[in-house]
Amino acid sequence: MIENPIKRRPTRKIKVGSVYVGGDAPISIQSMTNTETCDVDATVAQIQRCVDVGADIMRVSVPSMEAAEAFGEIRKRVQVPLVADIHFDYKIALRVADLGADCLRINPGNIGSEAKIREVVAAAKHNDISMRIGVNAGSLEKDIQKKYGEPTGQALLESAMRHIDILDRLNFHEFKVSVKASNVFLTMDAYRLLSAQIDNPLHLGVTEAGVYRTGSVKSAIALGGLLMEGIGDTMRISLAAEPEEEIKIGFDILKSLGLRSNGINFIACPSCSRQEFNVIKVMQTLEERLEDVRVPMDVSVIGCKVNGPGEAKEADIGVVGASPRSLVYRNGEKSHLIDTNQLVDEIEAMVRQRVSDIEDAKAKEIIRTSFSE
Ligand code: SF4
């Protein structure tokens, strides 16, 4: 087994509700609702769909006082930590802080007078909630735009540091920072510069990354590159797609880097004329059917014996395609043969059995430790 070479940059640990961000906390995945916040039922349903696929944190935009009251209702109906996204109106920040927001996404430099900033910071301290400073290449301050001529890593850094300095001056340190751009190189440059300046946790993202496929690739390159350098404590994949898809892509990136496990890590061959079954169809069906599985496991499904045994030996469950029966490996050992026409059902049954065995073992361990105390 190759040792994971990624060494995470040490950052201070902050809290977003029940989820820690930074330090040795797992890199969290978040997304943002795209429903009308005032439509409480729709927003709660969307948050729940994201939680079902593993969302650690959800962000909800709060553009008005009416939305702030709706935010309070949403807060009562979901367990997942909620970030309230506020842009300028400090009164909205004060209201959602009282209504149970776990984090305020607001830039102190945009709030206005020092007195207003102090009030927001006091509310965050009083309610024990964190903040996120979010700088975007598309909305840099006019004087910074003029100074740099175009968005650059230094420009994003300078903008972020203005907001950071305000919070530092007010002795408030429970915040994370993002410096997002839609360009891969600019995003990476800005985060690298920022990570060298501060020890607050960094919220990674490529903003306006694009539609599902290209946006996912762009995000995987930029965020994957930063994560490999140890940069990043929480992340959002910004796609023109439903938020639950963002969560899934986020986990796929972390799974690929061995930074988090969530559900099945499928290993499948691309297939070719040697395939003994329709690999693409089988994998698509399996992925859909097993989307609810949260227990981490490696499942290898390979079209023929050319690469099948090698991959199967490294997986928790491995299948080597053959006709009419395929060979199953469990925990790296040859186990039994299954009907190749029934591959999907057979693999699903094995995965669900493994989940049940792992959960039984966990329950037994809990009983054993409770009674031995
Ligand atoms: S494992 Fe077999 S079926 Fe899959 S790509 Fe390789 S040769 Fe083709």
Side-chain angles (χ1 to χ4, degrees):
M1 225 15 165
I2 296 173
E3 199 186 324
N4 193 325
I6 297 174
K7 300 275 175 277
R8 283 182 67 193
R9 181 185 74 105
T11 51
R12 65 182 293 135
K13 199 190 263 188
I14 67 163
K15 240 176 22 169
V16 178
S18 56
V19 171
Y20 284 101
V21 176
D24 61 357
I27 296 165
S28 46
I29 304 280
Q30 51 183 293
S31 182
M32 185 172 185
T33 54
N34 60 17
T35 48
E36 284 285 335
T37 301
C38 290
D39 187 343
V40 173
D41 287 343
T43 306
V44 166
Q46 190 171 61
I47 290 172
Q48 196 51 54
R49 287 197 295 279
C50 292
V51 169
D52 289 344
V53 293
D56 299 300
I57 297 168
M58 286 299 294
R59 178 154 55 112
V60 177
S61 72
V62 191
S64 63
M65 268 302 173
E66 195 190 355
E69 297 308 318
F71 182 93
E73 288 307 306
I74 295 162
R75 170 67 292 168
K76 288 181 201 157
R77 289 174 51 183
V78 299
Q79 300 290 319
V80 69
L82 293 183
V83 180
D85 191 280
I86 300 136
H87 277 262
F88 303 105
D89 190 342
Y90 82 110
K91 285 191 180 148
I92 294 176
L94 298 179
R95 184 68 185 135
V96 290
D98 282 342
L99 288 171
D102 297 295
C103 179
L104 304 174
R105 192 279 199 215
I106 187 165
N107 289 345
N110 297 345
I111 295 174
S113 70
E114 177 92 9
K116 290 176 185 171
I117 300 169
R118 281 182 186 279
E119 267 198 76
V120 172
V121 169
K125 284 183 180 171
H126 176 73
N127 291 289
D128 192 23
I129 60 183
S130 53
M131 289 171 69
R132 166 155 76 98
I133 291 170
V135 168
N136 275 16
S139 53
L140 287 170
E141 294 89 337
K142 285 207 170 61
D143 64 313
I144 292 182
Q145 283 181 36
K146 202 170 162 203
K147 177 175 170 186
Y148 290 92
E150 60 178 1
T152 64
Q154 281 292 349
L156 269 79
L157 174 69
E158 186 169 328
S159 175
M161 290 311 297
R162 281 186 187 175
H163 300 295
I164 292 166
D165 288 345
I166 293 171
L167 294 186
D168 279 345
R169 260 203 329 271
L170 296 175
N171 199 25
F172 186 80
H173 307 290
E174 301 305 296
F175 63 89
K176 53 199 170 91
V177 189
S178 62
V179 277
K180 299 184 182 182
S182 58
N183 175 282
V184 167
F185 297 107
L186 178 53
T187 302
M188 295 181 78
D189 191 30
Y191 277 105
R192 283 180 185 133
L193 291 169
L194 186 62
S195 72
Q197 293 282 321
I198 60 168
D199 70 350
N200 294 77
L202 298 187
H203 165 120
L204 298 186
V206 173
T207 194
E208 291 110 28
V211 291
Y212 180 74
R213 181 167 55 91
T214 48
S216 300
V217 172
K218 207 189 273 185
S219 300
I221 294 169
L223 273 51
L226 289 166
L227 290 164
M228 285 170 77
E229 294 173 22
I231 297 171
D233 303 282
T234 183
M235 56 198 263
R236 181 206 174 180
I237 311 299
S238 299
L239 300 176
E242 290 306 314
E244 50 268 43
E245 300 305 321
E246 298 183 348
I247 301 287
K248 291 183 210 169
I249 297 296
F251 272 109
D252 286 344
I253 293 172
L254 292 185
K255 273 197 273 188
S256 305
L257 295 172
L259 289 169
R260 254 190 97 180
S261 45
N262 176 35
I264 301 172
N265 176 33
F266 281 114
I267 297 116
C269 72
S271 78
C272 71
S273 62
R274 285 201 183 95
Q275 66 183 349
E276 302 276 5
F277 60 92
N278 187 329
V279 175
I280 294 172
K281 197 166 159 210
V282 163
M283 293 317 296
Q284 279 173 347
T285 316
L286 273 176
E287 201 172 49
E288 279 165 25
R289 280 212 207 165
L290 296 170
E291 206 170 72
D292 60 301
V293 172
R294 298 271 78 85
V295 173
M297 72 177 85
D298 290 339
V299 176
S300 152
V301 185
I302 306 292
C304 79
K305 65 182 180 188
V306 171
N307 290 326
E311 294 292 354
K313 280 179 198 160
E314 301 297 323
D316 299 302
I317 296 170
V319 175
V320 181
S323 194
R325 293 195 294 168
S326 296
L327 177 58
V328 173
Y329 283 66
R330 285 181 196 256
N331 303 318
E333 303 287 337
K334 282 181 194 165
S335 169
H336 60 283
L337 295 167
I338 53 175
D339 181 351
T340 303
N341 288 326
Q342 303 295 323
L343 272 189
V344 172
D345 290 344
E346 293 276 2
I347 295 170
E348 181 180 5
M350 286 190 285
V351 167
R352 297 208 181 275
Q353 184 61 51
R354 189 176 172 87
V355 170
S356 155
D357 292 347
I358 290 170
E359 282 168 355
D360 282 355
K362 270 192 205 155
K364 279 184 189 146
E365 183 59 18
I366 290 167
I367 292 167
R368 193 187 65 74
T369 47
S370 319
F371 277 94
S372 63
E373 276 166 9

